[in-house]
Amino acid sequence: DAGITQSPRHKVTETGTPVTLRCHQTENHRYMYWYRQDPGHGLRLIHYSYGVKDTDKGEVSDGYSVSRSKTEDFLLTLESATSSQTSVYFCAIRADRDGQPQHFGDGTRLSIL
Amino acid sequence: AQSVTQPDIHITVSEGASLELRCNYSYGATPYLFWYVQSPGQGLQLLLKYFSGDTLVQGIKGFEAEFKRSQSSFNLRKPSVHWSDAAEYFCAVVLMDSSYKLIFGSGTRLLVRP
């Protein structure tokens, strides 16, 4: 299994509070991704990183920010959580070689009340 | 725009029967394609991938998929389904820009009858 750890695995919080999710990898891969999974939508990309301090937006980035200060850690922050951000969040990593797939963590289930 | 369509939201098969899950893609160049499987409460596990060469690719757990450029399809097959194959299956295409991000279909949930 790819060395990816997401924390926390479950979180319940209230609307308007800040939330930070962490993705930690032990593979030293260059690429890291944050997706959200909602019924009927598959997985949609929020943000991704192609190196330390190098990040870019995905298709559903509004309301989210990310940071990557070390190769192994990629943080996703909801500055002021809203109920529409209730979802399951997945982190993925990818080696920088042609044809390499993304490997996924076990997810964080986030509920915003 | 690039997209992936999985036309079947749910499929139910009997244990031991054959299985085919459909995937159609829209992509301007030769695609890199993947199938992932997700068991309840788990992350996504890679079943197989295609990016060049033989159009029939073998994966883990006895799955295979066939790339058909003329039909823009990458259907997943298994000759004999086991109860443990009950899960959700996702087809995805890689966007071949600097992001290598995945475009996912909405998934097909497989139910297996005893």
Side-chain angles (χ1 to χ4, degrees), chain A residues 16-70:
Chain A
T17 60
V19 177
T20 295
L21 308 183
R22 180 182 184 235
C23 178
H24 178 79
Q25 62 149 327
T26 58
E27 306 295 322
N28 201 37
H29 285 347
R30 178 183 175 194
Y31 290 89
M32 298 185 76
Y33 304 83
W34 277 109
Y35 292 88
R36 61 178 288 172
Q37 183 179 30
D38 304 289
H41 290 278
L43 278 80
R44 294 178 292 174
L45 183 66
I46 305 171
H47 282 280
Y48 70 98
S49 170
Y50 48 97
V52 173
K53 297 191 189 322
D54 292 323
T55 65
D56 205 347
K57 296 179 180 180
E59 61 181 307
V60 290
S61 59
D62 287 348
Y64 301 95
S65 62
V66 291
S67 66
R68 191 170 178 197
S69 59
K70 299 183 290 184

